[in-house]
Amino acid sequence: MVSCPLHTSKQQAERVASRIREKIRNSNELGVDVDISYGVAELNPGDNYLKFLQKADEEMYGMKREKKSCCD
């Protein structure tokens, strides 16, 4: 899990997560192809944090489905 400072926009967090993903994908330290899936959601004041976590989870599983469908 990557922690972002307060007041980070969803777009900024997505850019950070994307850069981390690319570094992992381009690393060959393990000698095998490695990839990650992630979900980013925005928590606004007054939002229910469980719905926030659910949205991030949905985003992550959406990414997993996209990767799987492109490789089948």
Side-chain angles (χ1 to χ4, degrees):
M1 174 179 259
V2 175
S3 176
C4 294
L6 294 177
H7 309 294
T8 298
S9 71
K10 182 177 179 187
Q11 292 78 20
Q12 290 169 316
E14 286 173 341
R15 283 194 301 269
V16 170
S18 179
R19 287 196 321 258
I20 292 168
R21 179 179 182 219
E22 285 306 309
K23 287 199 178 280
I24 290 170
R25 290 178 71 192
N26 293 328
S27 172
N28 196 22
E29 290 184 32
L30 298 175
V32 295
D33 291 337
V34 177
D35 197 357
I36 64 167
S37 297
Y38 59 86
V40 176
E42 190 167 13
L43 180 65
N44 295 305
D47 285 353
N48 179 307
Y49 76 93
L50 291 176
K51 287 186 180 183
F52 159 76
L53 292 174
Q54 181 180 7
K55 180 64 178 165
D57 204 41
E58 289 170 1
E59 295 263 335
M60 180 190 66
Y61 281 104
M63 179 182 261
K64 287 178 177 284
R65 281 190 298 277
E66 285 177 26
K67 288 191 305 187
K68 184 172 181 153
S69 69
C70 80
C71 299
D72 287 339

